[in-house]
Amino acid sequence: MATWSEFTQYVRSNYKIIEEVPDKMVSMGFGLEGGRTQLVFLWRQTLMGGTEEWVQVESPIGELTPDKVVAAVKAVGNTVVGGIGSAGDVITYRHALPLANLDSNEFERPLRLVTTTADKLEKDIFGKDEF
C-alpha cells in the first residue's frame, strides 16, 4: 500500500464498511467475544505539508471526564501499540501508521490490538458496551 486510495481499496475488499468519507475517514464495526462490539475509525492524516500520508486507527471508549482519563492513561501504561486520545468529548484509543510502504500485516495486527484494547478499556473503565 502506498496511498490512502490504495489503502481504502484494501479495507473495502477485506472489511464491512459502516461509513466512508472520501479522502478522510472509514468506519467499521467489529463483533467481539461475549457479544460485545467495537467501532473503529480509520482517519487519513498527512504530514510534511500533505506529502506524507498516514492512517490513524482510532476507537472510542467512553465519555471524556478527568477521572476516566486518568484511569485510561494508567490502564495503557504498559501497552506497546497505541495510546489515549480524544475526539470531541469522547476518550479514544488510537495508533498511527505511515502508508508509504505499509504491508497488510503491519496494519492487521495493530488494527486488532486497537480494537480489542479499546473494548477492554471500555468494559473495565466504563462498565458498558456503548461503542
Side-chain angles (χ1 to χ4, degrees):
M1 291 176 257
T3 66
W4 177 257
S5 178
E6 292 166 328
F7 172 73
T8 55
Q9 182 178 354
Y10 171 84
V11 171
R12 276 188 233 99
S13 297
N14 291 282
Y15 295 96
K16 182 180 176 192
I17 305 302
I18 294 173
E19 180 183 5
E20 184 171 354
V21 177
D23 293 323
K24 185 174 182 177
M25 181 276 298
V26 173
S27 67
M28 306 176 293
F30 292 93
L32 302 172
E33 289 184 21
R36 294 181 63 83
T37 60
Q38 196 62 37
L39 185 59
V40 176
F41 295 92
L42 306 175
W43 296 98
R44 179 179 180 251
Q45 303 291 343
T46 59
L47 303 173
M48 306 295 292
T51 61
E52 186 178 324
E53 290 184 303
W54 287 60
V55 59
Q56 182 180 65
V57 182
E58 182 173 48
S59 188
I61 61 172
E63 184 182 0
L64 180 65
T65 61
D67 60 321
K68 301 298 186 184
V69 170
V70 170
V73 169
K74 287 182 178 182
V76 301
N78 292 321
T79 59
V80 174
V81 171
I84 296 299
S86 67
D89 53 356
V90 175
I91 301 170
T92 65
Y93 190 72
R94 64 170 69 154
H95 184 67
L97 306 155
L99 289 175
N101 56 8
L102 184 67
D103 289 329
S104 60
N105 68 310
E106 294 171 318
F107 167 68
E108 294 292 339
R109 184 66 174 134
L111 173 64
R112 285 191 300 278
L113 288 170
V114 167
T115 304
T116 56
T117 302
D119 182 63
K120 181 173 179 1
L121 291 168
E122 182 180 20
K123 180 181 177 185
D124 292 352
I125 295 170
F126 293 89
K128 53 186 171 182
D129 186 18
E130 184 177 348
F131 302 102

